Amino acid sequence: MKPSLLWTALALSLLAFFVPASATPPSKTLITNVHVFDGSNEALVENAYVMINGNLIETVSQEKPDAEGVTVIDGKGRVMIPGLIDMHWHSAYASIPMQLGLTSDHAYHLLIGAKSNERALLRGFTTVRDVGGNVFSLAALTDSGLYKGPRIFPSGPAISQTSGHTDFRPSTAVPANPHDSLVYMERIGHVIVADGVPEVLKRTREALRMGASQIKINSGGGVSSSFDPLDVTQFTDEETRAAVAAAADWNTYVATHTFTDEATQRAVNAGVMSIEHGHLLSEKTLRLMKKKGAYLSMQPILDDEDAIVFPEGSFSRKKYIEVTEGTDRVYQLAKKVGVKIVFGTDTLFDPQLAEKQGKQLAKLERWFTPVEVLRQATSTAGELLALSGPRSPYTEGKLGVIEEGSYADLILVNGNPLEDLSLVADPQTHFDFIMKDGVVYKNQLN
């Protein structure tokens, strides 16, 4: 046996030794006495029976199926909803303070991320789209069952131009010497800088080679970044098209960080399918997004008790205020125009804020009905995830819905979130049962 194959076999055998038995779902499970929100339709399927075969839903019916040899769980009249999806999550950054994150190594990031993701799963988030960071190992070990957490759609390194949103180099790093070493955050694959079409093609292809299910670029200025004002537009038309073309060659899509009209219009016209943030957009740009079929991945960011903390008077604080002032207007416009919206939190460097995922989701009731809110975090999110095509790590079933052939990602809620959305803000109290991929991670029904 070749040495490389020998090491691979040894690694797999050790992994098999450590994977817990709970990672393997039972052959068949029947959940009875539940009222099902399927992720799309406002009308519940009353008094339903949900049959699960392995990790997939086999049937959803109001007629009791044959339960011989099947594990039966009495849902006790709870409302069943699909597992929630956070479409803008950073596993490596969400729960680690900024200074610690910038001064600790990659292993530290992922170990903190593993615990953070386990808590996210117990808040009912069974899937996350990780839009920036080298979390491929964490995704693989979560899929194996070694770590508990949501399934991860990884983007790999967020790609930025020089002076762009994820150019994390110090102010003294320019003018750059092409022979200089990459900074640590680039070396470990959390971010990367690319200038010009050849470099953008190279870095996009590298991310795909690493296992990215979609590509994340930065098309405009950001809040937490040190050097780029909000109004700037990043990556030329040619550079943006290069990233889109490289992703399309791998049958997947590009998501981009942007707030403004000019940056967003450039990205959407180049074929970008997911606009991350967009808090300063006009109706004209939102109509362009609808025409092109692009999704708005926006966050309910407000300057409230859950505001991201920046030093008063700082560059980032000023940018943050500008962004939050646009939140209310853009949500209203997006709803009016009919753009497809998905939910994401974009929690960064704050373990306490990360714990408020459900609270952030519930805030959307300020602009939407409960069913509209839940669709953003279930069925509509699943539609966008499906654009990863064969690059998706999860192609057996559908995500974000409860129907035949979908993944068995399920939550039983003590109460009806279609009538009282505040229930999702306190999952510890109101989520009695959480299943991901056919495996039960929480059961307080008894």
Side-chain angles (χ1 to χ4, degrees), residues 11-20 146:
L12 290 173
S13 64
L14 287 171
L15 183 60
F17 178 77
F18 285 111
V19 170
L146 187 61

Side-chain angles (χ1 to χ4, degrees), residues 217-387:
I217 66 172
N218 297 280
S219 296
V223 171
S224 59
S225 42
S226 301
F227 305 113
D228 54 339
L230 286 176
D231 63 285
V232 301
T233 301
Q234 299 170 13
F235 282 135
T236 64
D237 291 331
E238 293 78 14
E239 289 170 323
T240 309
R241 289 194 182 97
V244 170
D249 284 345
W250 280 58
N251 299 304
T252 186
Y253 70 97
V254 173
T256 191
H257 164 106
T258 175
F259 286 101
T260 66
D261 281 324
E262 185 173 351
T264 302
Q265 289 174 19
R266 179 181 293 182
V268 172
N269 281 322
V272 170
M273 292 305 295
S274 182
I275 297 301
E276 307 304 307
H277 314 309
H279 292 68
L280 304 178
L281 298 183
S282 67
E283 183 172 339
K284 178 182 177 181
T285 301
L286 291 165
R287 290 195 180 281
L288 174 67
M289 289 176 60
K290 183 180 180 182
K291 178 181 176 181
K292 297 286 188 178
Y295 291 73
L296 179 63
S297 174
M298 191 169 162
Q299 299 73 48
I301 298 175
L302 301 167
D303 190 26
D304 58 9
E305 72 276 8
D306 302 317
I308 300 172
V309 178
F310 296 105
E312 200 61 46
S314 66
F315 185 39
S316 288
R317 173 65 179 163
K318 292 175 182 176
K319 292 189 288 183
Y320 182 78
I321 293 299
E322 185 177 351
V323 165
T324 59
E325 288 175 347
T327 299
D328 191 70
R329 178 182 58 82
V330 174
Y331 269 132
Q332 292 183 61
L333 282 174
K335 181 175 181 176
K336 170 188 170 183
V337 169
V339 176
K340 290 188 175 182
I341 308 171
V342 296
F343 169 73
T345 53
D346 192 27
T347 300
L348 291 169
F349 313 121
D350 190 338
Q352 292 183 331
L353 186 57
E355 295 291 337
K356 298 177 181 178
Q357 260 178 310
K359 183 181 179 183
Q360 296 288 82
L361 181 61
K363 283 184 181 182
L364 290 172
E365 195 171 17
R366 176 169 173 170
W367 305 282
F368 305 96
T369 66
V371 69
E372 290 171 336
V373 173
L374 290 173
R375 285 174 188 148
Q376 291 184 30
T378 56
S379 59
T380 308
E383 289 177 18
L384 178 50
L385 292 174
L387 296 186

Side-chain angles (χ1 to χ4, degrees), residues 95-113:
S95 295
I96 187 170
M98 179 181 287
Q99 194 57 37
L100 185 57
L102 294 175
T103 55
S104 55
D105 66 16
H106 189 207
Y108 196 97
H109 298 169
L110 294 192
L111 289 169
I112 293 289

Side-chain angles (χ1 to χ4, degrees), residues 92-93 106 109-110 130 132-138 154-158 185 187-191 210:
Y93 313 148
H106 189 207
H109 298 169
L110 294 192
D130 196 295
N134 180 355
V135 295
F136 297 108
S137 295
L138 178 58
S155 299
M185 293 289 277
R187 293 202 306 273
I188 63 176
H190 278 341
V191 298
M210 293 168 76

